[in-house]
Amino acid sequence: LLERFLESVAARVGDVEILSGAACAQRYRDPFQLFVDGPPPPAALRPRSVDEVRVIVREANACGVALWPISRGENLGYGGAAPAEEGTVVLDLARMNRILEVNVPDAFCLVEPGVSFIDLFDRLERDGLPLWLSVPGYGLGSVAGNALERGVGNSPYGDHAAQICGLEVVLGDGELLRTGMGALPGSGMWQRHRSPLGPRLDELFLQSGYGIVTKLGLWLMPEPEASAAVEAEIESRESLAGAIDALTRLKRAGVVQDSPVVASYLTQAALHSTRAEWGPPGAALSGEAEGRLRAALGLGWWNARVRVYGPPEVVDLGVARAEHAFAGVPGCTVRVSRWRAGEPMARAHRGLPTAEGLANRNWCGPHGAHIDLAVGLPLSGAEATRYAFFVSETMAAADLDYHAAFYLRDRHILNVVQILFDQADSAMCQVVDAVYFRLIEDAARRGFGLHRAPTRYRAAAMAAYDFGDGAMRRVRERLKRALDPNAVLSPGKDGLG
Amino acid sequence: LLERFLESVAARVGDVEILSGAACAQRYRDPFQLFVDGPPPPAALRPRSVDEVRVIVREANACGVALWPISRGENLGYGGAAPAEEGTVVLDLARMNRILEVNVPDAFCLVEPGVSFIDLFDRLERDGLPLWLSVPGYGLGSVAGNALERGVGNSPYGDHAAQICGLEVVLGDGELLRTGMGALPGSGMWQRHRSPLGPRLDELFLQSGYGIVTKLGLWLMPEPEASAAVEAEIESRESLAGAIDALTRLKRAGVVQDSPVVASYLTQAALHSTRAEWGPPGAALSGEAEGRLRAALGLGWWNARVRVYGPPEVVDLGVARAEHAFAGVPGCTVRVSRWRAGEPMARAHRGLPTAEGLANRNWCGPHGAHIDLAVGLPLSGAEATRYAFFVSETMAAADLDYHAAFYLRDRHILNVVQILFDQADSAMCQVVDAVYFRLIEDAARRGFGLHRAPTRYRAAAMAAYDFGDGAMRRVRERLKRALDPNAVLSPGKDGLG
C-alpha cells in the first residue's frame, strides 16, 4: 500500500520530493527522544504547494496511508519531527516557505508553514519594516507551526496562538477550507477581521489532527515609540512568591502589556555553560556549585524581566513602577535598558530570532537533550511557589536540575519546565521518563492543565481532561471523524491515544 | 410527536415550566419582526438546571422534536426570541440565572445563561466589587447570550466574545461538555486558563446550533486607578474619514485600550426623541430637519468617543493625545470627563447597563422597531467613508434614516448599522427588507463579512462565505452532524439555510 501510495503521488505530483531510507530516518526523528521507540518513518514527502498537499491527502485516503504533517519539524522538546505512530509518512511542509504578505499599517503577515522566524525577521529587516516579532527560544522553527502548537514569547504578542487571524487548511479528506474572512472570495479582510457569521473554526486546528494548515495569518507588533526592559536578579530561591506577586500587581495596574517572566538561574546558565563545568554528573548540583555558577555568570537564583512599550512618558512610568515593584522584593538588583524609535535596536527590545536557544541542549554534554512541559498555574506567588518547589524537589530527588520559566499572563501563569538530560545515559533517560509521568499525574491532581507535552506523553496528559467520564475526548473523537473520516492525519497527535 | 414530547418532559422534569398557546406566542416572537412569517412556536420549556436541559434534549432526540435554545431572548435587532423555523419548541434558559462565581483578583465571573447585565451589575454594586462591565445598548439581555452572539461594548473588554473563558455545553444528543480547564475535574483554572492540550472548543459554540451553553466564564475589567472619556462632536458628514484616521493613529500609538467609537447623530437622536418631532414620514429627514435636530439636541453629524484607563499619568497622556488627535479634525468640539478611584462613578466611565438602549425603537412611533447589521470594514477613513456614504445613500434613496456606529478595533472597524422602521407600515417593511438584502449583497461584493444578522437574513449572509464552492458551509454541516446528529438544536440558526 505504501509503495502504491508513493508511486501514485510521484506520478501525480511531479514536483514533490520523496525521501526514504537513511535520509528520511536521519531527518525525521525526534533529536531529543528519550528512547528509540520504533523504526523511523518509512518515507517523507516534501510538496511545494497546497494543490500538491491536496493530491497527497487524497491519495493517502485512497491507499489507507497515514500522514504526519510538520511545518519545519523543529518542535524541539515536544517531539520534534517524529510521527507518534509507526508506519506514518511524514508530510514535510518546509518547502512551502513563501511570505505571502506583510502589511505594515495593520501589522500582520500571511505565511506558509515553511517560513521560519529568521526568514520573517530577515524580510522585515531587508525592507526596513517597523514591525516587531515575538520569538520563541529557537528562531529556526516555523512561525506558523509555533503558533499552532501554542508556542510563546514574552512580548505583548507572546501568546502566539492568540495572534492567529485566518487559516487555510486542507482537511483529512482533501477539502480546502479558508477560515474567517478567507471564506469571502477576494476579501481583503482575511488577516484583519476574525469573526465570520457563525462559529469561528481557527481554534480547531491548534495541536489537532483535523487538518493541515497551509497558510496562516498572524498579527505582529507595530514598532512602538519607545520601550524599556527592566531586569532583576533575585538572590534567594524563597523570593519567588514576592517577585510574582509584585509583577502581578504591576500587570494589574495596566502599565505593562507583556508577559513578565521569572526564570530559574539554570535557564541562563544552560545557554552559556555546560553542567560539567560546575559539578559531577549523577547528582543535582550542590548548593555550593550553584553559588559558584551564579557568581561566575552573574545570575540571581531567579531572574525576572518585564518590558514596557509605548509613548516615552508611558515607558518612563512603567519603568518607575517596575523599579518600585522590585524594590519590595528582598535581595533584588535591577537593571534598566531603554530604547527610543530611531536608535539602533538592542536585542532586549525587539524580538530577534536566533538559534541560541538550542544551546541549552549541551548542558548535559554532547548527547544532551531536553523535554518540556507547559502548565497553567494560578496567578499567585504562594501557589506558584508551592508548585515550583514541588517540581524542583521532585527533580532534585531524581538527580535532575530544575529549569523553569514563569510567564505571567492576564489570569494565569504559564510555567514552562524543561528537563535537561543526557541521551547517552540510559538510566537517566528512564528516570526522566518516570519524572515526567509523575509531573503529569501531579498536575492533574492539582487541577492544573498541561497544554503542551511531548508526543510521547500526550495521551497521558490528555487523560486528565476527564470531566464527564471523558466528554472532551469523546467530542474530539467525533470532530476527528467529521473532519478526517479515514483518520489519515497525525495519528496519536492530539493525545487521544 | 410534540404532545408525546411535552408529556414525556413533564413526567421526567417535575420542575420545568411549559408554556403553550397565547402565552407562548406572545413571549417568544421577534418583537422587531418585519413580517408575520408563520405561526408562533408551539410550546416553550423553561428548565431550572443543566440536568433538566439534558433530559429535555434527550427526549427531543427520542421524539424528533427541534429545540430553539435562548438565554433570555433579548437578541433585539437580530431576531429576538423567535425560532427560525416553524414547529420549533423554544428552550428558554432565563430561569437558570445563577451567578456562580465572581472573582475579584483575577477579574472574572461564571454565569448561567439567564443572568442579565443588570443582574451582574447589581451583584457587583451590592458587594462593592471593583470590577467593571462592558455593556451593550440593552442591559436586560443575557451576559452569556450576548457574548455568544458576538455582542459589543466599547470598553477595552468590548469584544465580548473574546472575553469568554470556559463553557459548559449540552450537545445535541445530551452529552455534557466542559471546555478548557473545565475538563479537569475540580480544577480552579476553568475561568483562568483557556488552552487545554489539543484544540480549543469554545469558539464552536458562538452563534452555532451545535450545543446549548449552560455556564459561561467571562473576563471582567478590573477597576483602573483612573479613567477619562474624551467626546467629540464633529460638525460635518464629510469629516468621517479624518475622525477615523485620527483615532486610528491614536490607537496605534498604544495609549488607548478601548474601541473608540464614531456614531452618526441619529444614534443619539433616536434615543432622546422621535422622528415625528423633526420631519414628515415617508421621506428621509431633510438637511434642514437634520440641522434643527442637531442644534436642539447638541449633536455633531458624527459623535466620537474614546476612553482611556490606567494610572493617572497614563490617563492624562491619553487625554492630551486624544485632544491633539481631534484638533486635526475640522469642525470638532471636544469635551473631557475624568474619573479617579474613590470618586463617585460617572456613567461615562463605568459600564452601566440600562434599558435605555431600547428607546430608539420609538423613533418611528409606537410600532417602531429596528433590524441590525454588523460588518467588518478596513481600518481606513477613506474606505469606511466610502462604505458609510454608500449605505446612507442607499437608505436615503429608500426614504430610510441612516443610523450607524463605527467601533475601531485593532485591525478592523466594526460597523453596526441599525435600520429603524415602523412595523405598522407594511410598505416600509417591504422596503427595509429589500434594502437589507441589498446591503448583504453589496458587502459580499466588497469582501466585507457580516458577522451578525437577524435570523431572517442569516442564510443570505452566509451564502457570501463561499470560498471553495462553499467549503465553510460544508465543514459546518459536518460539524453539525458530529455534535447534533439528529439536528435537534436551533434549525436555521447558523445560516446554513
Side-chain angles (χ1 to χ4, degrees), chain A residues 375-378 382-391 394 438-449 464, chain B residues 184-189:
Chain A
V375 61
L377 310 179
E383 295 217 52
T385 300
R386 201 171 315 141
Y387 186 66
F389 285 12
F390 167 79
V391 174
T394 300
R438 178 147 180 225
L439 293 180
I440 288 174
E441 220 172 275
D442 173 75
R445 210 170 37 74
R446 294 171 195 258
F448 300 161
Chain B
L184 288 173
S187 175
M189 301 301 291

Side-chain angles (χ1 to χ4, degrees), chain A residues 106 150 173 187 198 252 447 478, chain B residues 106 150 187 198 252 447 478:
Chain A
D106 285 328
R150 304 193 203 285
D173 58 356
S187 175
R252 286 183 178 146
R478 293 194 205 186
Chain B
D106 286 328
R150 304 194 205 283
S187 175
R252 288 185 177 146
R478 294 193 204 188

